[in-house]
Amino acid sequence: MTKQVILAAHFPGVNNTTVWSDPASGSQIAFDSFERFARTAERGKFDFFFLAEGLRLREQRGRIHDLDVVGRPDALTVLAGLAAVTTRLGLTGTVNATFNEPYELARKLATLDHLSGGRAGWNIVTSSDAFTGENFRRGGYLDRADRYTRAAEVLQTARELWATWPAGEVVADPASGVFVRHGAPGAFVHKGQHIDIEGHFTVPRSPQGRPLIIQAGDSGPGRDFAARDADAIFSRHGTFEDAKAFYADVKGRMAGFGRRPDELKILPASTFVLGDTEEEARERAHHVRRQQVSPQTAILLLEQLWNKDLSDFDPEGPLPAFDPVLDDDSIIKGRARMFDDPVATAQQWRALSEEKGLGIRDLIIEVFGRQTFIGTPASVAETLNRYVQEDAADGFILVPHIVPGGLDEFVDQVVPLLQERGVLRADYTTTTLRGHLGLAHE
């Protein structure tokens, strides 16, 4: 059976995927940018819009990280605005389960689901770092080992709250004078390890029963969390073999939690560069990568592995001869360590640098290369479809390097080819986000 390709559009915010300095780039925070991006995704019949969130501006060497200076707006506020200018596109955002309370989260997400007619989704993430916690006067209160147990309980509690209003509870019948069927809906009591609340939930059952749940963790506990609780997982595995192995691993865990494989959609974060020919696409990709990794950014990213001030190093010169510093204190604050074994990674980078004759900047471009799919529209459409049909993914969360116009080329040139293959809808046939993904309402 031919599978449908799920497509989501990720408004990336500022990171080293985004080329904010390109003349075609617009604001990262103005509503016009979000609106244009979302309208383009809806024109392409995408399943949903995705907005990341950061709760504190990152710092490196005690300074605000250059790639964060334009700020990070509140995701749910932006999504509520987009509900008014879109009609079918799902609206999903990252909201942290560590620094938010389940009653407030459940209420806001249920409200968004009502405002959008059943198109809301929640990407649930965790944080254990004290640096971010300082913004909430909770710095370091949560042990790293507890972050998934709290997240699981926050999600469990939110689901309990959403379920307190049965389907069809609101009658609103003027003739009988009956407004609610049972008189006192919304009652809840939850007493657990991290959450101890009781009261009445204020928002009736939403159009799709509950918002879509997305998860982005890649560790063993994160994969289990997704297999047990998520409707979709935001994967970072982009190469075909890695993606296929991740797909098999996570789907294989689901039976242990009493779930079917088709109840979880695996969606790698993916970028693209198109050209009229394969050679033109490769040349454009090379240009984009050099835009993404400026000399200054190359040093910043190198420092994140070496955990040391390397500002005196030449971006075009060789890697440091000494090994990374393994202190517990990280040179960058507000972001998790990216490397499990810094010394081994440094050895791999040195070998690659020597093999290919790469200086620091070119090496960073090589190891942090962001373009997943490079080619003509036809070859990119063929590759995307292969991933889905051969169980390396259920679809993709596309991250363009330019906002708000970076999605236009894909929608105009690749989407029609996927529609011709019959693997992408020609028009929306459902009204809710869960319906778009073939998931049951709850």
Side-chain angles (χ1 to χ4, degrees):
M1 178 179 175
T2 300
K3 296 164 60 179
Q4 290 291 294
V5 176
I6 296 168
L7 290 179
H10 182 352
F11 190 101
V14 173
N15 50 44
N16 74 297
T17 297
T18 308
V19 182
W20 62 265
S21 59
D22 192 289
S25 286
S27 171
Q28 302 283 332
I29 199 168
F31 185 72
D32 286 353
S33 289
F34 296 116
E35 180 180 6
R36 177 179 170 186
F37 193 83
R39 286 186 183 276
T40 302
E42 189 163 69
R43 178 167 62 85
K45 312 306 176 188
F46 277 46
D47 292 274
F48 61 91
F49 169 100
F50 180 86
L51 182 61
E53 181 175 68
L55 295 181
R56 180 160 181 175
L57 297 180
R58 293 168 291 179
E59 294 180 11
Q60 191 156 326
R61 291 192 247 113
R63 300 173 57 191
I64 297 297
H65 195 290
D66 289 352
L67 300 177
D68 264 357
V69 293
V70 301
R72 294 291 183 96
D74 177 69
L76 292 181
T77 303
V78 174
L79 297 176
L82 292 177
V85 297
T86 56
T87 59
R88 290 288 186 270
L89 184 69
L91 302 169
T92 70
T94 299
V95 187
N96 194 296
T98 305
F99 299 114
N100 286 285
E101 297 302 320
Y103 180 85
E104 183 180 29
L105 282 174
R107 189 166 179 261
K108 289 181 176 180
L109 286 158
T111 300
L112 176 62
D113 212 36
H114 277 284
L115 291 177
S116 63
R119 297 184 281 135
W122 173 19
N123 179 42
I124 181 169
V125 299
T126 64
S127 177
S128 62
D129 73 283
F131 178 75
T132 300
E134 289 173 357
N135 273 358
F136 299 87
R137 297 190 183 279
R138 289 183 178 178
Y141 89 98
L142 185 68
D143 288 339
R144 184 177 182 85
D146 290 336
R147 61 178 182 160
Y148 279 114
T149 59
R150 175 180 166 84
E153 189 173 349
V154 168
L155 177 57
Q156 176 191 349
T157 308
R159 282 180 158 160
E160 291 170 5
L161 296 171
W162 291 326
T164 58
W165 285 74
E169 176 65 23
V170 178
V171 179
D173 179 16
S176 65
V178 175
F179 188 77
V180 292
R181 193 176 301 278
H182 298 104
F188 65 87
V189 177
H190 180 97
K191 296 185 182 298
Q193 178 183 355
H194 297 279
I195 311 298
D196 183 359
I197 59 174
E198 63 180 291
H200 280 77
F201 191 57
T202 61
V203 186
R205 183 70 65 97
S206 64
Q208 58 180 348
R210 64 164 176 81
L212 187 83
I213 302 300
I214 306 172
Q215 194 267 348
D218 189 45
S219 64
R223 295 183 187 204
D224 280 340
F225 184 80
R228 181 183 64 243
D229 293 314
D231 301 306
I233 185 167
F234 192 166
S235 162
R236 64 181 177 84
H237 296 276
T239 65
F240 184 80
E241 293 305 325
D242 284 348
K244 196 170 178 65
F246 180 81
Y247 189 100
D249 178 75
V250 176
K251 297 271 188 174
R253 296 173 187 238
M254 296 182 69
F257 298 107
R259 302 181 69 200
R260 301 188 313 273
D262 62 355
E263 293 180 284
L264 174 67
K265 308 303 181 183
I266 296 181
L267 309 172
S270 305
T271 60
F272 61 91
V273 176
L274 304 177
D276 291 337
T277 65
E278 298 294 327
E279 181 180 3
E280 180 185 330
R282 287 192 294 270
E283 290 176 356
R284 288 185 66 186
H286 177 73
H287 174 68
V288 169
R289 284 175 177 157
R290 295 193 70 79
Q291 286 183 299
Q292 290 170 329
V293 183
S294 67
Q296 297 89 337
T297 297
I299 295 298
L300 287 173
L301 293 174
L302 188 71
E303 288 178 342
Q304 291 176 22
L305 173 61
W306 254 262
N307 200 30
K308 183 176 176 60
D309 184 348
L310 302 176
S311 55
D312 291 338
F313 275 69
D314 178 3
E316 308 303 332
L319 293 170
F322 52 86
D323 284 340
V325 176
L326 300 180
D327 292 346
D328 288 338
D329 291 335
S330 175
I331 195 170
I332 185 167
K333 296 184 181 298
R335 181 172 185 172
R337 284 277 181 92
M338 298 172 62
F339 308 97
D340 293 332
D341 188 338
V343 173
T345 303
Q347 291 172 347
Q348 293 169 4
W349 286 14
R350 288 193 186 105
L352 182 61
S353 175
E354 184 175 346
E355 176 190 347
K356 296 192 174 184
L358 304 175
I360 289 173
R361 185 184 181 195
D362 286 331
L363 175 75
I364 293 296
I365 289 171
E366 180 83 12
V367 298
F368 283 91
R370 296 285 185 170
Q371 287 76 35
T372 313
F373 301 109
I374 301 169
T376 65
S379 68
V380 167
E382 180 180 354
T383 305
L384 293 174
N385 190 44
R386 178 192 173 215
Y387 270 62
V388 172
Q389 305 310 326
E390 296 185 23
D391 291 340
D394 293 308
F396 305 90
I397 298 179
L398 297 179
V399 191
H401 65 277
I402 299 253
V403 293
L407 202 62
D408 295 18
E409 193 174 32
F410 187 94
V411 168
D412 292 336
Q413 298 183 36
V414 179
V415 162
L417 299 178
L418 293 173
Q419 291 170 330
E420 287 177 9
R421 291 172 177 266
V423 296
L424 181 67
R425 65 178 68 82
D427 203 354
Y428 292 105
T429 58
T430 56
T431 59
T432 68
L433 176 52
R434 297 183 67 80
H436 295 345
L437 301 187
L439 299 172
H441 290 193
E442 295 191 2

